[in-house]
């Protein structure tokens, strides 16, 4: 058990208003059922508690490139708000190396290829902290594998719902989505 009092500071979020109707995704009954199964699979992977001590480390960037999407940003289509962006996007080229930002245990690795996330790898860093890497071209790890910080886990791709090759890195601590960017600090290209 670790306990610490934290001061919560307000933050300005990036909201973009778009004068177009929102592009409708797949919404058929068949898709809804597929998606339910996918989300259950992802949730059970994220619920896995490992004894990893990676949470204690200073995180590094899993890949380098321009930050093309920030955590918490949101698009509003003609007044209709889309879900806020739950991770940080790094626009690295297709095939660029993706490494573990900290030690951990792989709790999910393709297959399957998810309809939105594409090839998805999730690493548990212990203490309820985990990282998800979306849209990968390829995964170099298997479920249950322990990985070290900086170890190659896959390559950047555009699988799932992605307009171009990029890495979407999202993190969860217990039930809360958190911004990976301040954890990783300044990016060294
Ligand atoms: Zn993203």
């Amino acid at each position: 058990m670790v306990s610490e009092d934290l001061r919560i500071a307000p933050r300005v979020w990036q909201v973009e208003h778009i004068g177009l109707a929102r592009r409708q995704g797949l919404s058929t009954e068949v898709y809804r059922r597929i998606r339910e199964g996918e989300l259950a699979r992802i949730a059970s992977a994220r619920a896995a508690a490992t004894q990893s001590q990676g949470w204690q480390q200073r995180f590094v960037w899993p890949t380098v490139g321009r930050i093309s999407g920030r955590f918490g940003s949101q698009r509003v289509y003609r007044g209709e708000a889309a879900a806020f962006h739950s991770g940080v996007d790094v626009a690295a080229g297709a095939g660029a190396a993706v490494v573990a930002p900290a030690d951990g245990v792989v709790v999910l690795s393709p297959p399957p290829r998810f309809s939105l996330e594409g090839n998805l790898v999730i690493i548990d860093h212990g203490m309820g902290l985990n990282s998800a890497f979306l849209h990968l071209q390829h995964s170099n790890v298997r479920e249950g594998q322990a990985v070290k910080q900086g170890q190659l886990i896959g390559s950047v791709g555009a699988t799932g719902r992605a307009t171009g090759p990029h890495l979407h890195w999202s993190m969860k601590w217990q039930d809360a989505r958190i911004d990976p960017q301040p954890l990783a600090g300044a990016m060294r290209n």
Side-chain angles (χ1 to χ4, degrees), residues 40 51-52 54 61 65 74-76 91 97 108 111 126 137 143 174-175:
Q51 295 306 306
S52 174
W61 283 94
Q74 190 174 40
R75 282 181 173 169
V76 179
L108 187 70
Q137 187 174 80
E143 282 170 31
Q174 313 292 0
D175 288 330

Side-chain angles (χ1 to χ4, degrees), residues 26-38 115:
L26 293 161
S27 58
T28 62
E29 189 55 41
V30 173
Y31 173 72
R32 262 202 298 276
R33 246 178 291 137
I34 291 170
R35 191 61 188 151
E36 250 172 50
E38 289 184 348
S115 50

Side-chain angles (χ1 to χ4, degrees), residues 24-183:
Q24 290 304 316
L26 293 161
S27 58
T28 62
E29 189 55 41
V30 173
Y31 173 72
R32 262 202 298 276
R33 246 178 291 137
I34 291 170
R35 191 61 188 151
E36 250 172 50
E38 289 184 348
L39 290 173
R41 177 86 200 273
I42 294 168
S44 77
R46 277 196 129 133
T50 72
Q51 295 306 306
S52 174
Q53 296 298 306
W55 62 276
Q56 299 190 58
Q57 292 175 314
R58 184 152 212 15
F59 279 55
V60 298
W61 283 94
T63 193
V64 289
R66 182 175 61 86
I67 305 287
S68 56
R70 289 180 184 276
F71 176 87
S73 60
Q74 190 174 40
R75 282 181 173 169
V76 179
Y77 297 90
R78 287 204 174 142
E80 191 201 340
F84 81 93
H85 191 236
S86 61
V88 59
D89 289 335
V90 182
V98 177
V99 303
D103 292 0
V105 176
V106 178
V107 291
L108 187 70
S109 182
R113 183 182 284 198
F114 295 102
S115 50
L116 300 188
E117 297 83 0
N119 289 325
L120 169 67
V121 167
I122 299 181
I123 293 178
D124 183 69
H125 302 295
M127 211 61 159
L129 186 68
N130 57 56
S131 284
F133 309 93
L134 282 69
H135 314 305
L136 299 178
Q137 187 174 80
H138 180 75
S139 165
N140 291 67
V141 290
R142 51 179 170 72
E143 282 170 31
Q145 186 181 342
V147 291
K148 285 283 178 199
Q149 183 175 62
Q151 184 177 334
L152 182 71
I153 58 167
S155 57
V156 172
T159 56
R161 191 186 284 178
T163 49
H166 73 280
L167 177 70
H168 173 108
W169 174 25
S170 64
M171 292 193 74
K172 257 187 154 179
W173 181 52
Q174 313 292 0
D175 288 330
R177 293 198 173 274
I178 58 170
D179 184 359
Q181 203 172 343
L183 244 71

